[in-house]
Amino acid sequence: MEQIQKLLIIGFVWPEPNSSAAGGRMLQLIAQFQQQGFAITFASPAMDSDYMVNLASLNVDKTSITLNCSSFDVFVAALNPAVVLFDRFMMEEQFGWRVAENCPNALRILDTEDLHCLRLARQKAFKAHREFTIADTLKEDVAKREIASILRCDLSLMISEFEMELLKTTFKIDEKLLYYLPFLLEPISVATFEKLPSFQERQNFVFIGNFLHEPNWNAVQYLKETIWPLLRKQLPEAVLNIYGAYPSQKVMQLHQPKEGFHIKGRAIDANEVVQNARVVLAPLRFGAGIKGKLIEAMQCGTPSITTTIGAESMQGNLPWNGFVTDDINEFTKAAVLLYQDEKLWKVAQQNGIAIINQRYSKELFENDFASKIIFLLSNLEQHRLDNFMGSLLQHHTLTSTKYMSRWIEAKNRI
C-alpha cells in the first residue's frame, strides 16, 4: 500500500480568509495540495484568533509550535513531511534550518505572498517624498534576508510577474527557483454572472482592506483628505463605505457621516458588501503583490479605480476593470463617470470578468503545479546541486542561526 505523502505548512499566522487576501491564498494552496493527495499539517507560533479558519473542517491537522525551541525538532522529525511550505520568508528564517537538519530530504517551498523588500522600499520612498527606483530594493536590509530565504528554498511561489522579473534581473535569481502561481480562482460562469446585482440595484462607493496593512491605511487617509472632498463636490449625495479588519482608533476617528464618509470596520460578508457597491475605490500609493481587494471587485462584478501600483501585474494585456490612474483629478473624474454611466460601467464589469477567467482560473495552473512538485520530489538532489548559492547559504545558516537560536533557547530556560 502506497504511503500518503505529508505536507507541513509553517504559517506566520493562522489563516483568516475573511480578513485578508493572504488568508484566502493559503486556503487555495491547501486545496491544491490536497488535490495532489497530500495529508496536511498546519503549524504556527501565532496565537489563536477569533477569525481564524477552522482547519479541522478542511481536514487539516493544527499544531502550535514555539520559536527558538528544540521541541520543533522532535515534532518535525516525527512528522517527517515530504514537503514543507513556509508562509513568508520570516518563517523560513526561524524554522528552515531546523527542517533542513531534521528532514534533509523534504522539499522546501517558500510562499512569498509579496516581495517585502519591494513594498518597504516603495513605502520609504513615498514617505521621503521622492521617486521610487528599482535600485531602492537593493538597499533594503530586509532584501538581504528575503533573497537569502529564496535562495535557501528549493522553490519560491510568486504571485506577481513583475516581482518574478525583478528577482531575475535585479537580484539575479535563477528562474528554476521561481514559480508563478497567482490566485487560483473558480472561473465566473454565465449563471454566476446573471445572479450579480445590476447597475441600478447598486449604490455607493466602497473601499475594503485589512488595516494592519500599511498601504491600506495610507489609501484611506488619501481618500479622506484629498480624493473624497473632490468627488463629493461633483456627487453631493454620494457615500463612501470603508470596510476592513482590525481598524484602530485612528481609523475609526475618520468616520464622518455628514461628509458621506463612513468607517464600517470588519465586513461580515465582504462579497455582499462589494457586490452591492457600484464602484470600488483603491488609490494605493505603495505596496506589492496582487491586490485581493481588486480581485474581489472583479469577482463581484464591481468596476474599480486604482493606481498603477494597485493594478501592477494583474491584468496582463487585457483592459482594466474600470480605470487606472495616478492623477488625483483623473481619478475623481473616472469615479464620477463610472458611477453615472451605465454603459461604461457594464464594459468595465465585463473587463473584470475576462481578467478573472483568463488570468486567474485555477484550471490554468493546477496541473502544471502538480507536475512541478512531482518533478522536484523526483529530482531534488540534482536541483540542489544546481543551486550552489542556496547550499552555501544553508551551510552558513546552520552554523550561525542555529547557535543563535540555541543560545536564546538556553537563555529562556534561566
Side-chain angles (χ1 to χ4, degrees):
M1 185 176 172
E2 190 177 347
Q3 191 175 6
I4 295 175
Q5 289 186 307
K6 297 173 186 173
L7 164 70
L8 171 62
I9 301 174
I10 302 179
F12 181 65
V13 293
W14 302 108
E16 292 186 21
N18 295 326
S19 299
S20 70
R25 157 74 164 183
M26 182 52 71
L27 295 200
Q28 292 162 17
L29 292 177
I30 286 172
Q32 286 301 307
F33 279 105
Q34 285 180 327
Q35 194 171 306
Q36 294 175 36
F38 283 88
I40 302 177
T41 298
F42 194 106
S44 176
M47 299 284 287
D48 285 7
S49 80
D50 294 336
Y51 302 101
M52 60 191 279
V53 74
N54 181 348
L55 289 166
S57 71
L58 302 175
N59 200 26
V60 173
D61 291 333
K62 174 180 178 288
T63 301
S64 290
I65 52 178
T66 306
L67 297 171
N68 301 306
C69 183
S70 54
S71 60
F72 178 84
D73 302 342
V74 177
F75 158 71
V76 78
L79 185 67
N80 193 27
V83 181
V84 177
L85 175 71
F86 301 101
D87 169 30
R88 285 164 269 205
F89 80 90
M90 299 81 84
M91 291 297 95
E92 190 280 333
E93 276 187 331
Q94 286 287 344
F95 296 101
W97 68 269
R98 292 183 183 274
V99 170
E101 194 170 65
N102 292 282
C103 304
N105 297 321
L107 175 66
R108 299 187 298 271
I109 301 175
L110 173 64
D111 186 36
T112 57
E113 294 290 351
D114 63 14
L115 274 185
H116 293 61
C117 62
L118 174 62
R119 174 158 45 86
L120 289 173
R122 281 175 167 166
Q123 184 173 329
K124 286 181 181 177
F126 171 78
K127 299 223 166 157
H129 306 289
R130 60 177 175 77
E131 197 76 25
F132 164 80
T133 66
I134 290 297
D136 289 336
T137 59
L138 293 165
K139 301 169 189 173
E140 282 297 313
D141 283 344
V142 75
K144 299 173 181 68
R145 297 168 53 200
E146 193 167 23
I147 299 305
S149 183
I150 288 169
L151 286 168
R152 284 192 298 264
C153 286
D154 301 307
L155 193 69
S156 288
L157 305 181
M158 305 301 301
I159 209 163
S160 159
E161 293 153 315
F162 175 84
E163 291 174 15
M164 271 191 78
E165 197 57 33
L166 174 68
L167 288 175
K168 287 190 283 187
T169 56
T170 302
F171 292 98
K172 313 301 181 189
I173 302 292
D174 187 339
E175 64 182 347
K176 285 190 289 189
L177 299 177
L178 307 174
Y179 189 82
Y180 176 61
L181 194 70
F183 290 144
L184 305 166
L185 308 175
E186 292 288 347
I188 300 171
S189 65
V190 173
T192 301
F193 172 73
E194 288 175 349
K195 291 176 185 174
L196 294 171
S198 68
F199 176 86
Q200 299 296 342
E201 290 170 326
R202 297 168 182 248
Q203 60 180 348
N204 303 329
F205 294 92
V206 71
F207 172 92
I208 191 164
N210 188 317
F211 285 111
L212 297 179
H213 195 53
E214 182 66 21
N216 289 334
W217 162 237
N218 181 270
V220 170
Q221 285 179 296
Y222 190 30
L223 282 166
K224 177 69 171 65
E225 295 165 7
T226 309
I227 295 172
W228 189 244
L230 293 173
L231 190 46
R232 199 91 193 295
K233 279 182 185 175
Q234 297 185 59
L235 295 173
E237 302 305 314
V239 168
L240 172 57
N241 292 316
I242 307 285
Y243 289 88
Y246 302 106
S248 64
Q249 190 58 40
K250 67 181 180 181
V251 175
M252 299 308 295
Q253 285 174 351
L254 297 182
H255 183 63
Q256 293 289 340
K258 289 181 181 178
E259 298 171 12
F261 197 91
H262 297 261
I263 305 292
K264 298 283 192 176
R266 180 184 289 272
I268 296 169
D269 185 337
N271 275 345
E272 184 181 346
V273 162
V274 179
Q275 277 187 25
N276 288 320
R278 192 173 286 179
V279 177
V280 166
L281 302 179
L284 298 161
R285 293 188 283 186
F286 51 86
I290 298 300
K291 314 306 181 295
K293 62 179 64 57
L294 296 172
I295 287 287
E296 190 170 52
M298 296 178 203
Q299 289 178 298
C300 292
T302 311
S304 63
I305 304 152
T306 190
T307 57
T308 50
I309 281 178
E312 183 177 85
S313 263
M314 290 191 66
Q315 72 202 86
N317 296 319
L318 299 172
W320 185 252
N321 172 47
F323 292 92
V324 178
T325 177
D326 296 322
D327 182 85
I328 296 169
N329 293 319
E330 285 182 14
F331 193 102
T332 306
K333 181 182 175 183
V336 173
L337 272 173
L338 266 184
Y339 198 80
Q340 294 182 323
D341 189 330
E342 184 174 358
K343 187 177 178 182
L344 182 69
W345 186 91
K346 284 181 174 177
V347 170
Q349 183 184 57
Q350 288 297 328
N351 289 346
I353 289 164
I355 291 170
I356 294 293
N357 288 348
Q358 294 180 43
R359 285 185 55 81
Y360 298 99
S361 177
K362 65 181 182 181
E363 61 194 30
L364 298 172
F365 302 97
E366 51 195 10
N367 289 339
D368 188 74
F369 181 51
S371 298
K372 184 72 173 180
I373 299 302
I374 291 167
F375 175 81
L376 286 174
L377 285 170
S378 303
N379 297 275
L380 193 53
E381 185 178 355
Q382 185 59 50
H383 182 74
R384 286 178 176 170
L385 284 173
D386 292 341
N387 179 22
F388 179 76
M389 289 303 293
S391 299
L392 182 149
L393 284 166
Q394 192 68 257
H395 169 79
H396 285 287
T397 300
L398 276 168
T399 55
S400 58
T401 309
K402 173 180 177 178
Y403 292 106
M404 173 61 78
S405 184
R406 297 284 193 223
W407 179 81
I408 293 170
E409 184 177 5
K411 189 170 177 286
N412 288 341
R413 289 199 200 102
I414 298 170

